[in-house]
Amino acid sequence: MEFRVDRAPFLRAVKSAAGIANQRGQMPVLSNVLLRLAGGSRLLVAATDLTVSVEETIRVDSGGSSGLIVPAKTLLDVVSSLSSDSLSLRSVDGG
């Protein structure tokens, strides 16, 4: 998975999702944010605590469709700490 995104809308979407992601629940998967590429120009950012869900779609530059989950707190901390207007993200398998 690889994409380029404007930081401001991505940060807003991650903040919304991280606010819903359950950090202390019985199901560790609920502490993650789903990132799913669709059609090369849209990224779905989603999270749930099984009671409330949030989904936001933002524009990205990408060449494919795939998805992954990322720990909500870690993603929010990293994106918040970056100062660039545009971000490039790439997942690496097996690492």
Side-chain angles (χ1 to χ4, degrees), residues 52-88:
V52 177
S53 297
V54 65
E55 292 184 355
E56 189 166 341
T57 303
I58 56 176
R59 294 190 48 78
V60 297
D61 293 324
S62 173
S65 48
S66 60
L68 56 86
I69 60 171
V70 182
K73 183 174 179 354
T74 303
L75 182 61
L76 180 58
D77 289 348
V78 169
V79 175
S80 296
S81 71
L82 299 173
S83 60
S84 176
D85 290 338
S86 180
L87 306 175
S88 295

Side-chain angles (χ1 to χ4, degrees), residues 7-66:
R7 180 183 174 273
F10 186 53
L11 180 58
R12 266 193 313 273
V14 170
K15 279 183 180 179
S16 294
I20 296 298
N22 188 348
Q23 299 297 319
R24 294 181 281 283
Q26 297 289 335
M27 299 174 66
V29 71
L30 297 180
S31 66
N32 294 300
V33 172
L34 171 67
L35 302 177
R36 185 178 348 164
L37 289 171
S41 64
R42 293 176 296 141
L43 175 71
L44 172 72
V45 180
T48 186
D49 66 3
L50 295 180
T51 302
V52 177
S53 297
V54 65
E55 292 184 355
E56 189 166 341
T57 303
I58 56 176
R59 294 190 48 78
V60 297
D61 293 324
S62 173
S65 48
S66 60

